[in-house]
């Protein structure tokens, strides 16, 4: 999917329009400064990292729709899972002299040079969804997105509650993690471990990266089942896309997900909620992709020279098999 509003040559067109307006104002003897100020839209350059999951596609849609609602002129670039493409997109936004740059960094490291260039050009940069390494923290003005550490803790807390209702040997856990060196991968892993830390009822027997992709989630699970047989009690998967792939592999082995293997997933895509209702998933930790409105509001403030909160976190919840009103969960929209 390619999501890129057409804008080629916009600067040139704006410059011509501006010159015409200025000339008209001079001819009519009125300054028109305030009116022009009110009407000039904020220009936001946004670099999306790719389209690896339903979550990501929903996030892109939400940002584009929010820009439209807010009257923000959005230049949207999809990096198709390549950091190099994100760096190129940010450089093109700098050359274009956008008012604000926002991006969802595919990994945390490797941004120092391009973000220094943005700072030298005087363009504020906002991280959305994911963060960059702490060493570069001064190069961004703020972050908007989820608290991934808390998501990991919620996943672990569900497991504690589930284990309270079970007896027997320690539960053997396999983790299918997200993209290496990405914020959700790091934080969801730490939060989960912190929640179950020191509890002898749990053992993480394997952790692999499935890159947030359904196909890799399936491959990882196939391989794990081949090597470990049915010797697995829990799957903790860092996103729904990988979970849906892993469930295909589990069912192909003749096992019943949700019963033979406890399934814990993160995101809250409609597909995962449907499987929770069917009993094939036990816990869905919500991670909302709907952050477009807040990105637009922060971008307007930054373009006006105002400062913004350093961290703006989304309000999120968790859905589990213990909830009594699963059938009432409204359509997720992603
Ligand atoms: O950064 C958010 C994560 O990225 C979502 O959990 C996942 O689905 C996406 O790929």
């Amino acid at each position: 999917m390619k999501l890129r509003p057409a804008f080629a040559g916009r600067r040139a067109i704006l410059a011509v329009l501006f010159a015409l307006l200025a000339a008209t104002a001079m001819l009519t003897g009125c300054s028109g400064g305030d009116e022009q100020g009110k009407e000039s839209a904020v220009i936001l350059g946004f670099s999306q990292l790719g389209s690896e999951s339903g979550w990501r596609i929903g996030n892109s849609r939400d940002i584009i729709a929010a820009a439209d609602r807010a009257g923000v002129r959005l230049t949207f670039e999809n990096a198709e899972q390549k950091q190099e493409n994100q760096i190129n997109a940010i450089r093109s936004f700098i050359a274009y002299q956008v008012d604000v740059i926002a991006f969802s960094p595919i990994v945390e490291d490797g941004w120092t040079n391009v973000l220094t260039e943005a700072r030298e050009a005087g363009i504020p940069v906002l991280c959305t969804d994911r963060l960059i390494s702490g060493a570069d923290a001064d190069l961004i003005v703020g972050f908007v997105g989820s608290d991934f550490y808390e998501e990991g803790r919620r996943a672990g807390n569900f497991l504690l509650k589930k284990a309270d209702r079970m007896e027997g040997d320690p539960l053997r856990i396999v983790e299918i993690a997200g993209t290496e060196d990405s914020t959700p991968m790091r934080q969801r892993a730490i939060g989960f471990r912190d929640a179950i830390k020191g509890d002898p009822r749990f053992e993480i027997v394997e952790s692999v990266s499935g890159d947030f992709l359904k196909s890799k989630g399936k491959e990882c699970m196939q391989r794990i089942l081949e090597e470990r047989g049915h010797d697995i009690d829990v799957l903790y998967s860092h996103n729904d896309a990988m979970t849906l792939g892993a469930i295909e592999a589990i069912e192909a082995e003749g096992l019943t997900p949700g019963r033979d293997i406890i399934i814990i997933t993160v995101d809250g895509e409609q597909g995962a909620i449907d499987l929770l209702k069917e009993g094939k998933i036990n816990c869905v930790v919500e991670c909302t992709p709907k952050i477009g409105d807040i990105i637009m509001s922060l971008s307007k403030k930054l373009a006006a020279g105002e400062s913004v909160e350093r961290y703006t976190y989304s309000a999120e919840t968790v859905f589990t098999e213990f909830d009594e009103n699963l059938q009432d969960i409204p359509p997720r929209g992603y």
Side-chain angles (χ1 to χ4, degrees):
M1 187 182 75
K2 196 90 179 162
L3 298 161
R4 185 188 305 191
F7 71 98
R10 184 181 51 183
R11 272 283 174 206
I13 293 166
L14 283 177
V16 171
L17 282 175
F18 185 80
L20 282 173
L21 282 170
T24 309
M26 279 168 66
L27 284 172
T28 56
C30 87
S31 78
D34 284 343
E35 284 312 305
Q36 283 172 22
K38 274 181 205 159
E39 284 166 18
S40 68
V42 169
I43 302 174
L44 170 65
F46 187 90
S47 166
Q48 180 59 285
L49 66 88
S51 326
E52 73 283 5
S53 59
W55 188 100
R56 184 69 50 199
I57 292 165
N59 179 243
S60 295
R61 282 204 193 107
D62 187 65
I63 289 166
I64 290 168
D68 199 35
R69 278 194 296 275
V72 167
R73 305 192 66 163
L74 177 69
T75 298
F76 187 101
E77 294 286 342
N78 187 327
E80 310 289 358
Q81 259 52 57
K82 291 196 178 72
Q83 181 177 32
E84 187 193 338
N85 292 347
Q86 288 204 281
I87 291 172
N88 288 339
I90 293 171
R91 289 217 163 98
S92 76
F93 299 151
I94 296 170
Y96 192 68
Q97 296 179 343
V98 298
D99 297 309
V100 180
I101 292 172
F103 78 121
S104 179
I106 186 160
V107 290
E108 291 192 339
D109 292 307
W111 303 101
T112 315
N113 291 346
V114 72
L115 295 185
T116 303
E117 290 164 31
R119 165 175 281 186
E120 285 167 0
I123 302 174
V125 178
L126 202 55
C127 271
T128 78
D129 166 40
R130 299 185 184 180
L131 269 163
I132 55 172
S133 116
D136 286 334
D138 285 353
L139 296 173
I140 59 164
V141 293
F143 164 82
V144 49
S146 301
D147 183 341
F148 297 129
Y149 175 81
E150 187 52 34
E151 290 173 357
R153 274 176 46 84
R154 286 180 178 152
N157 287 339
F158 165 78
L159 195 54
L160 290 170
K161 192 168 169 186
K162 178 84 177 166
D164 286 345
R165 299 166 190 221
M166 297 171 75
E167 288 176 350
D169 295 333
L171 296 173
R172 287 150 305 193
I173 303 166
V174 294
E175 175 181 51
I176 303 186
T179 304
E180 281 173 34
D181 187 33
S182 72
T183 317
M185 180 268 170
R186 286 187 201 283
Q187 298 298 325
R188 286 175 185 162
I190 298 170
F192 181 74
R193 282 162 179 75
D194 281 355
I196 62 169
K197 189 164 58 189
D199 192 321
R201 294 176 298 171
F202 309 110
E203 188 189 356
I204 300 177
V205 292
E206 188 158 347
S207 177
V208 284
S209 169
D211 218 4
F212 287 124
L213 292 166
K214 181 178 179 189
S215 55
K216 286 205 184 165
K218 185 171 181 175
E219 269 170 38
C220 289
M221 200 66 211
Q222 268 166 349
R223 204 258 311 140
I224 291 168
L225 288 166
E226 267 165 34
E227 286 179 15
R228 296 185 174 274
H230 295 182
D231 226 11
I232 301 160
D233 303 301
V234 180
L235 166 65
Y236 169 42
S237 161
H238 284 200
N239 86 341
D240 289 346
M242 297 187 297
T243 306
L244 299 187
I247 284 177
E248 285 179 8
I250 290 168
E251 289 184 322
E253 270 294 305
L255 296 169
T256 306
R259 195 191 65 199
D260 296 327
I261 300 180
I262 298 164
I263 312 278
I264 305 172
T265 184
V266 187
D267 274 356
E269 288 182 17
Q270 189 63 54
I273 295 294
D274 291 344
L275 291 180
L276 174 68
K277 290 177 186 170
E278 283 176 43
K280 292 185 176 181
I281 288 180
N282 306 80
C283 171
V284 179
V285 178
E286 184 186 34
C287 175
T288 181
K290 296 177 184 173
I291 51 177
D293 287 332
I294 182 76
I295 294 172
M296 298 312 143
S297 132
L298 297 182
S299 297
K300 284 183 173 179
K301 284 186 177 170
L302 289 168
E306 295 171 33
S307 58
V308 298
E309 288 285 326
R310 184 122 191 102
Y311 295 98
T312 305
Y313 288 111
S314 309
E316 291 171 339
T317 187
V318 58
F319 307 99
T320 82
E321 63 183 7
F322 302 128
D323 299 351
E324 279 165 16
N325 50 358
L326 285 182
Q327 299 311 323
D328 300 339
I329 300 172
R332 304 290 296 154
Y334 64 99

